[in-house]
Structures are given as structure tokens and as C-alpha cells.
Amino acid sequence: MAKGFMGRLTAAARAKQSRVVVGLDPRANLLPAALKPAADADAEAWAGAYAAFCGRVCEIVAPYAVAVKPQIAFFEQLGLAGLRAYAEVVRKAGESGLPVIGDVKRGDIGSTAEAYAAGHLDGGGLEVDAITVNPLFGTDGVAPFVRAAAERGKGLFVLVKTSNPSGAEIQDLVCDGRPVYEHVAELVHGWGESVRAGEVWSPVGAVVGATWPEQARRLRELMPHTMFLVPGYGAQGGTGESISAFFGENGEGAVVNASRSVIFAWRGAPWNEKYDESRWEGAVEAAVKAMRRDIEEGLGR
Amino acid sequence: MAKGFMGRLTAAARAKQSRVVVGLDPRANLLPAALKPAADADAEAWAGAYAAFCGRVCEIVAPYAVAVKPQIAFFEQLGLAGLRAYAEVVRKAGESGLPVIGDVKRGDIGSTAEAYAAGHLDGGGLEVDAITVNPLFGTDGVAPFVRAAAERGKGLFVLVKTSNPSGAEIQDLVCDGRPVYEHVAELVHGWGESVRAGEVWSPVGAVVGATWPEQARRLRELMPHTMFLVPGYGAQGGTGESISAFFGENGEGAVVNASRSVIFAWRGAPWNEKYDESRWEGAVEAAVKAMRRDIEEGLGR
């Protein structure tokens, strides 16, 4: 029985035959009409709507997804009320049996990173099962997150190659014949090995955008024991066809995230017709099932 | 009359003859005994102590500092109660006439960065006068912050060269004959020029660690209209002697931050004897005055 987050994620992927993570990115203007508060509602009312919407999405996707990934920025936008809703969504995900990857992208110098690690991985009011981390501060900035993840059976996903086009401005600069993101990959591999303790997957994962399948092949080689979190599927353009490069030969070692294309699926998505808004729950279920099937087929399963 | 944040900061520096920013990094184990809650206190009690401590520090340093920089990580560590305290500290700083640089180091893809920008710069419950931003996502990730700052008369400080030793692992990689941080500096310069609108200092500043005076000289050239926020003075090793490299020839264009060495000064700092803990307020005042003098002397004033 694997005790760490990555082991639990792998076990869930096997049990559910799914590599799908559903991103919870609530946006005021995209909520289903039935859940929208009045136009003049305050942050408290909007936060309540976000919590209700995300909680219901968790219930719907629970049979088909291995985790959810709330994007804390959308909750922070609403201030304290929003962050209270974030904590509520984390609790509701747990009730649906879904582990939570907090998409917080924190990063700072070591003494400050300790505070973030405590808040998000170790007992703080925003505690989740895993978080995303920005590597710009290097080893002493990431070490507190690595330590907290290892000690508490939690996980990290460090930004290696982000899904957005202009990420390349810094990440693709070529240094000593290799792009910056490969240097970061080597750091991530090293951080992971320092705490892997014989497990197949270290507690230190990597974010590698679905939009970069060619680069993913090389990154898979550089980080053989690193779980990939692959954002950018769906609304950002990634497809199941190109997804196999992110996985190891046995079809493990990666989970794929979609946010808008699943949770707002009734607005129309590449793989299903536009639904009537009153049937938004059915659209979410159809979208997460279609995404799971698309990826499993992409892996030849 | 300059309307933007950087113009207001420059005016304050002239009026107060000071380039000092005081970092508000409350740490439970370092609080003065008189403000510490009982050892078994809950997050609510600790958050109250953080707000009281930081609010009092604002009152003490207001005549000598041009801004305060609360580090949100220490508040996030306490969850929702802590973030409520963060908002209270922002309010108290305003009452002391001090603008607030929220040290949040946020960064994400564009559509998500919009949410962070709204929350921290435009009406969210965590709104401040300026924030620190992580550039790893490149132009499309930073653009929403730039836009919000320009439209709302606020400021950004983008991480260019961080003060910690291992920041060099990524930031100092050499690409096309120049380190990554110089490439970032060119991006920052460009982002700033796009919204400078004839002001001396653009709304887009840069974080350049006090620990790198040699690199600062080159960065000053690359970013002639970019205000520098210089952390790492004091506890991290920067001194007034080495500080002139961060400033333009007229002694403007930078503000220098110290956190622990000022707010916990009674515990002993390089420039003053260890104070009795009951006299912590006097120690903070002596430290901020000494720091201001040290920097002004370093600038030959």
C-alpha cells in the first residue's frame, strides 16, 4: 500500500481507469444561470455560488476523475469570502472521495516558502493533498515544500514547461545547448530523488503543458520517477492523440487536467454539442467521460 | 503631480529623505512577549497578534519609511484568520499613511493572472497599492498585472534577480551570452515601456536582491525607467555601502527593503545592540532610522 500522494493517485488511476484531473476554475460570467446570484450580489454571495458550483462538479465527476484541481486565483479574486469558499470546496471534494491539488503556484525564498508549505500542506486552513509550485527561487526556495510533502505524504507539482505560448520567452531560452525547462527538469528530478525512498513516483511531480508533446518525450526521459500534471488539454488545445508522450511505457506517470472544457461543457466543447444550460450537470458528466475515453484511447487502452 | 504608484513612491522618498521599505514578516516564534498569545492559542488568536504587531510597526516606522511590504505567506500560513489579519494590516498601514506593497509573488497563465490582478490590485478584498509578480509565464501571464497597474495607478515589482543564493540555479543560466535574469530584465523593460506614458518610472518595477550589487549595475542600464525593489538588506547581508549600484545617478529609482532586521530589531541586529524585549518598539524605531541613515550615507547624501 503506497502511503504517499503520488502512490494514491496511481492507485486511483488504476481503479478508475482514468488519468483525468478536473480543474475547478469558477468564473462569475460562466456559471450556470441557476447558480448565478443577482447581478448586484456581493463577494459573499458570489463565493457561495462558487462553492455550490464546484461542490456539485465534484459529485458529478467523482466516478471518472482521479483528483480535482481548484485554481485558488479565482477564489482570491473574491477576497476573504472567496478563500472561505476555497476551503469549503476542498472539504466537499474530500466528501466526494477526490484528492485535491491546490493550484496555488507559490514560490519564494526558503524562510518564506516554509510558511507557504505550512499553510497549504501542513495544517493551515488552506491545507490540500498536493500543490503546484514555482521553481524560480531554486533549491532553497523549493526545499521547504519538498520536505513538507515527504513528511506528510503529500505531493508537489513544480512548473517545468507551462502550457501558455509566452511561457517560452523564459522557459525556452537555450543555455549550454539545452532549454531552461530541461535544466529545471534536472533540478526537479534531483529534488524528487532526495525523498523518493524507493517508491516508483517521488512526491515531487512536474507541470508539463499538454501543448508540448515533443518536448514531453525528452522531459519524460529526464524525470523517470516524476509524476506529470498535464494542463492545457481541451480549451487550450491539447488532445488525447498527442497525450501518450507524457506517460511512461506502462501508461502511468501522468494525469491530465482540463478545466473550462469540462466544468463549463454545456457552453460547447470540441467533443460535444452545445447543451441547454438547464442541463449543465449532464454536460459536465458527458464531458468528463469523453475526456477520460479520449485519453485512454490515446494510450491505446 | 504624478498619479501612478511609482510617482507617489518617488515623491515620498524625497519628502521623507528615505528609500526604506519595511517588510512585515510576522513570525510566531519571534513576536515580542507582550504580544504573544498563549502557547495553545488558535489561529484566530495568532492572527490577531500578527495584526496588532504589524499595525504597531506601521505606526512606529511611518515617519522614516516610504512603504511597507507585508509578506502574505506568513498570513496564509494561518489560513482564513491570517488573511483577515493581512487585510487589517493593509488598512492599518493606510491609516499610518504608508502605501502597501503586497509581497504575493503571484504568477500564472493570462486568464488566471487576470483573477489574481483583480483580487490584489483592483477591488478584491486583498487590494493593495502594488504587488510582487513572478515572470515565469512570460508576457501573456504578466500582461493582466501590467494592465491593472496602469489602469488603476498601481505598481508591480517583477522578480528579476532574487536575493537568495540558489535563485542563481535558474536565474544565472547563460543563454546567448547573457544570464536569464538579463533576458527577464529586457522583458520587464518592454512591459514597462508599453504603459509608461511619459512618466520617469513605469508602473512595472523589478525585484533585484541587495546581495547582487555587481549585477545591479548592469540591470540598472537595461531598465532605465524601472523602479527597483531591493530585498535582502540587513538579515540577508546587504549593506548601505554596496547599495548605490541599485540607484540612478540622481539617487532615485530604487527602494530598499528590510524585514527581520527592523521589525525584530530588539533581538540584535548588525547596527544596534540587543535591546531588552520590553523596549521592542524603541528598537524598531532605532533600526529603521539607522537603516535610513545607512542608505542615505551609502548614496553620499
Side-chain angles (χ1 to χ4, degrees):
Chain A
M1 182 67 192
K3 281 173 301 186
F5 173 79
M6 299 301 178
R8 298 197 301 276
L9 196 64
T10 303
R14 285 180 199 160
K16 293 182 173 180
Q17 295 188 294
S18 171
R19 283 94 182 123
V20 171
V21 173
V22 173
L24 303 175
D25 293 20
R27 291 161 194 258
N29 60 328
L30 302 182
L31 288 188
L35 291 179
K36 261 189 195 164
D40 62 347
D42 61 5
E44 201 77 49
W46 279 107
Y50 281 14
F53 174 65
C54 293
R56 184 71 191 109
V57 169
C58 287
E59 291 173 353
I60 296 166
V61 304
Y64 316 109
V66 295
V68 286
K69 180 177 74 64
Q71 170 52 263
I72 201 168
F74 297 104
F75 298 91
E76 267 184 52
Q77 181 171 9
L78 297 178
L80 298 173
L83 289 160
R84 203 174 308 119
Y86 176 83
E88 195 179 334
V89 169
V90 172
R91 189 180 55 71
K92 286 183 174 182
E95 287 173 6
S96 293
L98 288 166
V100 176
I101 302 167
D103 200 352
V104 301
K105 299 194 175 75
R106 299 304 193 247
D108 211 304
I109 63 170
S111 55
T112 303
E114 276 177 26
Y116 278 131
H120 293 276
L121 294 175
D122 192 2
L126 303 170
E127 185 174 351
V128 291
D129 301 294
I131 58 170
T132 53
V133 166
N134 187 308
L136 193 65
F137 287 85
T139 299
D140 60 33
V142 176
F145 294 108
V146 173
R147 203 162 42 234
E151 285 174 3
R152 303 260 305 152
K154 306 254 172 169
L156 306 181
F157 293 97
V158 179
L159 302 177
V160 171
K161 177 84 176 115
T162 63
S163 58
N164 64 320
S166 68
E169 290 168 1
I170 297 173
Q171 298 162 35
D172 287 18
L173 288 170
V174 176
C175 312
D176 294 330
R178 290 168 306 139
V180 165
Y181 65 80
E182 289 192 12
H183 292 271
V184 177
E186 288 178 4
L187 288 169
V188 168
H189 175 67
W191 296 331
E193 288 302 290
S194 73
V195 291
R196 184 158 63 87
E199 300 286 341
V200 177
W201 305 107
S202 90
V204 185
V207 173
V208 183
T211 39
W212 313 107
E214 279 180 41
Q215 293 84 339
R217 235 173 275 281
R218 175 71 184 137
L219 291 172
R220 191 67 276 172
E221 289 169 14
L222 289 172
M223 299 181 280
H225 295 287
T226 302
M227 180 73 66
F228 286 10
L229 172 63
V230 184
Y233 176 95
Q236 289 183 59
T239 64
E241 210 175 334
S242 57
I243 219 75
S244 65
F246 297 82
F247 289 80
E249 283 175 18
N250 61 357
E252 300 197 332
V255 290
V256 182
N257 180 81
S259 303
R260 281 166 283 178
S261 57
V262 170
I263 67 173
F264 301 123
W266 70 95
R267 304 179 71 90
W271 50 81
N272 55 22
E273 75 270 35
K274 201 158 148 52
Y275 274 66
D276 183 281
E277 190 157 351
S278 66
R279 292 166 60 214
W280 73 269
E281 293 166 310
V284 169
E285 183 170 11
V288 69
K289 287 172 76 171
M291 177 180 169
R292 178 176 73 155
R293 190 171 54 244
D294 184 45
I295 293 168
E296 296 300 303
E297 284 174 3
L299 292 172
R301 280 161 182 264
Chain B
M1 181 64 193
K3 281 173 303 189
F5 172 79
M6 299 301 178
R8 297 197 302 276
L9 197 64
T10 303
R14 285 180 200 160
K16 293 184 173 178
Q17 295 188 293
S18 171
R19 284 94 180 123
V20 170
V21 173
V22 173
L24 303 175
D25 294 20
R27 292 161 193 257
N29 59 330
L30 301 182
L31 288 189
L35 291 177
K36 261 189 195 163
D40 62 347
D42 61 6
E44 201 76 50
W46 279 107
Y50 281 14
F53 174 66
C54 294
R56 186 70 192 108
V57 169
C58 287
E59 291 173 351
I60 297 166
V61 305
Y64 317 109
V66 295
V68 286
K69 180 177 74 62
Q71 170 49 262
I72 202 169
F74 296 106
F75 297 91
E76 268 186 50
Q77 181 172 7
L78 296 179
L80 299 173
L83 288 159
R84 203 175 307 120
Y86 176 83
E88 195 179 334
V89 169
V90 171
R91 189 180 56 70
K92 287 185 173 182
E95 288 174 4
S96 293
L98 289 166
V100 175
I101 303 167
D103 199 352
V104 302
K105 298 193 176 74
R106 300 304 194 244
D108 212 305
I109 62 170
S111 55
T112 302
E114 276 177 25
Y116 278 131
H120 293 276
L121 294 175
D122 193 2
L126 303 170
E127 185 173 351
V128 290
D129 301 292
I131 58 169
T132 54
V133 165
N134 188 309
L136 193 65
F137 287 86
T139 299
D140 61 31
V142 176
F145 295 108
V146 173
R147 201 160 47 233
E151 286 174 3
R152 302 261 304 152
K154 307 256 173 167
L156 306 181
F157 293 97
V158 179
L159 301 176
V160 171
K161 176 84 176 112
T162 63
S163 58
N164 63 320
S166 69
E169 291 168 1
I170 296 173
Q171 298 162 35
D172 285 18
L173 288 170
V174 175
C175 311
D176 293 331
R178 291 170 304 138
V180 164
Y181 65 80
E182 289 192 12
H183 292 270
V184 177
E186 288 177 3
L187 289 168
V188 168
H189 175 68
W191 297 330
E193 288 302 290
S194 73
V195 291
R196 185 157 64 88
E199 300 285 343
V200 178
W201 305 108
S202 90
V204 186
V207 174
V208 183
T211 38
W212 313 107
E214 281 180 39
Q215 294 85 340
R217 236 173 274 281
R218 174 72 183 137
L219 291 172
R220 191 66 278 170
E221 288 169 15
L222 290 171
M223 299 182 280
H225 295 287
T226 302
M227 181 72 67
F228 286 9
L229 172 63
V230 184
Y233 176 94
Q236 289 183 60
T239 65
E241 210 175 335
S242 57
I243 219 76
S244 64
F246 296 82
F247 289 81
E249 283 175 17
N250 62 355
E252 299 197 333
V255 288
V256 183
N257 180 81
S259 303
R260 280 166 283 177
S261 57
V262 170
I263 68 173
F264 301 124
W266 69 94
R267 304 179 71 90
W271 52 79
N272 56 21
E273 77 270 32
K274 202 159 150 50
Y275 274 67
D276 183 280
E277 190 158 352
S278 66
R279 292 166 61 214
W280 72 270
E281 293 167 312
V284 168
E285 183 171 10
V288 70
K289 287 172 75 171
M291 178 181 169
R292 178 176 72 155
R293 190 171 54 243
D294 185 45
I295 293 168
E296 296 301 301
E297 284 175 4
L299 292 172
R301 285 169 175 257

